[in-house]
């Protein structure tokens, strides 16, 4: 009977144990993996659903997140649209949520920031957000995501500029541990009016920026950067492809104080700046196998330079 599964998990969901494993579980030899509930979100659904099935979906992620508990998953329907109209318009204070956008390409769920102070805050820890599109419908959104939790992952959280609506900063991470931005594609062709630091990690431990594509035009200011590390330890910037344009005063793709430590490796960095030596400016980190270029139709130099 090993293939007969029981409803022997958290809140009625199966931990995928066979009948012959139950005695070991009850004797404390085998630990059952605990599961939570699944919730559904669809802006096209009829209002008033309890969120427990696709047919009774909540119409906003904010509504589903308000009832979700640690270990739960939230599925967002293809074509879902939601507007973030104020500070903490979406606020994830819960921990242990997995939020998954369904669909591919332009059918993925789209979230639009509609005020300059609009934010999506993530104060809870152990949260995953994946496979959504982010846009701004107003110029100069100050910062889209404000993350203070630990073990927060933004995976395939893409950004696409809309006409005459630029964003100053995509995300700030403060005081957390083991946060990750990975597999994201960000495109902004028009600079904001204010100095732009696209992603900032402040007092973070083991922050990771992995396998992203950033094609960004930023405000022409030497303090601008795609990534800025402030007193963060053991960070990893790896496998990113970046094109940063916007002016010759703009200097660093990756920038940090010397109190930020870690590793910067296997990145391809291009910037329309005067000197290639400032593109990867991470003085407290070890750097290896980073290609940096300031001129189109050139292959770039290796940072650090190899004789």
């Amino acid at each position: 009977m090993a293939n007969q599964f029981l409803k022997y998990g958290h809140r009625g969901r199966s931990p995928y144990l066979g009948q012959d494993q139950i005695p070991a579980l009850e004797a404390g030899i085998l630990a059952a993996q605990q599961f939570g509930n699944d919730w559904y979100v669809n802006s096209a659904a009829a209002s008033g659903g309890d969120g427990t099935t696709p047919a009774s979906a909540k119409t906003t992620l904010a509504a589903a997140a308000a009832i979700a508990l640690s270990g739960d998953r939230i599925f967002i329907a293809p074509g879902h649209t939601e507007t973030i109209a104020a500070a903490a318009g979406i606020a994830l204070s819960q921990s242990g949520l997995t939020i998954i956008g369904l669909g591919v390409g332009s059918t993925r769920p789209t979230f639009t920031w509609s005020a300059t102070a609009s934010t999506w805050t993530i104060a809870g820890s152990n949260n995953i957000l994946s496979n959504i599109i982010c846009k701004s419908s107003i110029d100069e959104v100050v910062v889209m995501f404000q993350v203070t939790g630990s073990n927060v992952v933004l995976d395939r959280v893409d950004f696409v500029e809309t006409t005459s609506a630029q964003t100053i900063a995509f995300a700030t991470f403060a005081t957390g541990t083991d946060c990750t931005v990975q597999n994201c594609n960000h495109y902004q062709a028009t600079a904001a009016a204010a100095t732009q630091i696209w992603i900032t990690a402040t007092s973070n431990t083991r922050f990771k920026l992995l396998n992203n594509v950033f094609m960004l035009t930023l405000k022409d200011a030497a303090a601008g950067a795609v990534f800025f590390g402030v007193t963060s330890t053991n960070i990893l910037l790896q496998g990113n492809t970046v094109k940063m344009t916007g002016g010759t005063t703009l200097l660093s793709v990756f920038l940090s104080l010397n109190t930020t430590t870690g590793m910067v490796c296997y990145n391809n960095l291009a910037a329309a700046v005067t000197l290639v030596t400032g593109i990867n400016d991470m003085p407290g980190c070890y750097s290896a196998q980073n290609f940096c270029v300031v001129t189109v139709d050139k292959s770039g130099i290796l940072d650090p330079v190899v004789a």
Side-chain angles (χ1 to χ4, degrees), residues 1-22:
M1 299 295 291
N3 292 323
Q4 298 299 312
F5 298 131
L6 297 181
K7 294 293 183 181
Y8 204 91
H10 181 45
R11 293 194 293 280
R13 288 184 57 193
S14 170
Y16 304 103
L17 292 177
Q19 293 270 12
D20 57 353
Q21 294 175 295
I22 299 305

Side-chain angles (χ1 to χ4, degrees), residues 1-304:
M1 299 295 291
N3 292 323
Q4 298 299 312
F5 298 131
L6 297 181
K7 294 293 183 181
Y8 204 91
H10 181 45
R11 293 194 293 280
R13 288 184 57 193
S14 170
Y16 304 103
L17 292 177
Q19 293 270 12
D20 57 353
Q21 294 175 295
I22 299 305
L25 172 68
E26 293 175 338
I29 300 171
L30 178 69
Q33 183 176 356
Q34 297 296 290
F35 294 90
N37 291 317
D38 289 340
W39 303 97
Y40 298 89
V41 175
N42 187 350
S43 57
S47 61
D50 62 8
T52 58
T53 68
S56 62
K58 294 289 186 182
T59 56
T60 67
L61 174 59
I67 58 175
L69 301 174
S70 179
D72 289 357
R73 299 183 300 184
I74 300 175
F75 293 97
I76 311 174
H80 173 84
T81 59
E82 189 164 340
T83 299
I84 302 173
I90 295 179
L92 296 181
S93 58
Q94 306 92 320
S95 295
L97 301 183
T98 300
I99 301 171
I100 303 168
L102 303 178
V104 297
S106 61
T107 70
R108 292 174 297 161
T110 298
F111 291 81
T112 301
W113 280 247
S114 63
T116 57
S118 299
T119 56
W120 182 328
T121 62
I122 306 177
S125 296
N126 306 311
N127 289 314
I128 300 172
L129 173 63
S130 68
N131 201 42
I132 66 169
I133 298 171
C134 303
K135 295 183 177 181
S136 170
S137 63
I138 191 169
D139 210 3
E140 307 295 308
V141 172
V142 176
V143 58
M144 288 182 152
F145 290 91
Q146 294 180 326
V147 181
T148 54
S150 294
N151 292 282
V152 173
V153 177
L154 304 184
D155 179 36
R156 292 170 294 152
V157 178
D158 293 349
F159 171 85
V160 181
E161 176 189 3
T162 54
T163 303
S164 299
Q166 288 75 53
T167 293
I168 296 173
F170 175 73
T172 60
F173 293 80
T175 70
T177 301
D178 291 303
C179 291
T180 304
V181 178
Q182 63 185 23
N183 306 317
C184 299
N185 295 282
H186 292 180
Y187 298 91
Q188 180 161 278
T190 309
T195 299
Q196 294 176 268
I197 299 174
W198 196 246
I199 296 174
T200 301
T202 302
S203 300
N204 264 245
T205 302
R206 297 186 297 274
F207 176 87
K208 293 179 286 294
L209 193 69
L210 306 175
N211 305 316
N212 302 285
V213 175
F214 300 112
M215 302 287 187
L216 301 174
T217 300
L218 303 182
K219 167 70 175 177
D220 191 10
V226 173
F227 172 82
F228 183 41
V230 183
T231 318
S232 294
T233 58
N234 291 320
I235 68 170
L236 176 63
L237 311 183
Q238 178 176 292
N240 301 285
T241 298
V242 184
K243 185 185 79 169
M244 182 184 74
T245 57
T248 56
T249 301
L250 194 67
L251 184 60
S252 300
V253 172
F254 294 157
L255 177 66
S256 73
L257 305 178
N258 59 12
T259 50
T260 291
T261 64
M263 191 74 190
V264 184
C265 57
Y266 303 108
N267 300 286
N268 295 308
L269 310 176
V273 298
T274 303
L275 298 174
V276 72
T277 52
I279 291 178
N280 177 33
D281 189 4
M282 305 285 290
C285 296
Y286 290 93
S287 291
Q289 303 289 334
N290 298 292
F291 281 93
C292 303
V293 65
V294 298
T295 308
V296 296
D297 196 28
K298 300 293 181 182
S299 61
I301 66 169
L302 195 64
D303 181 19

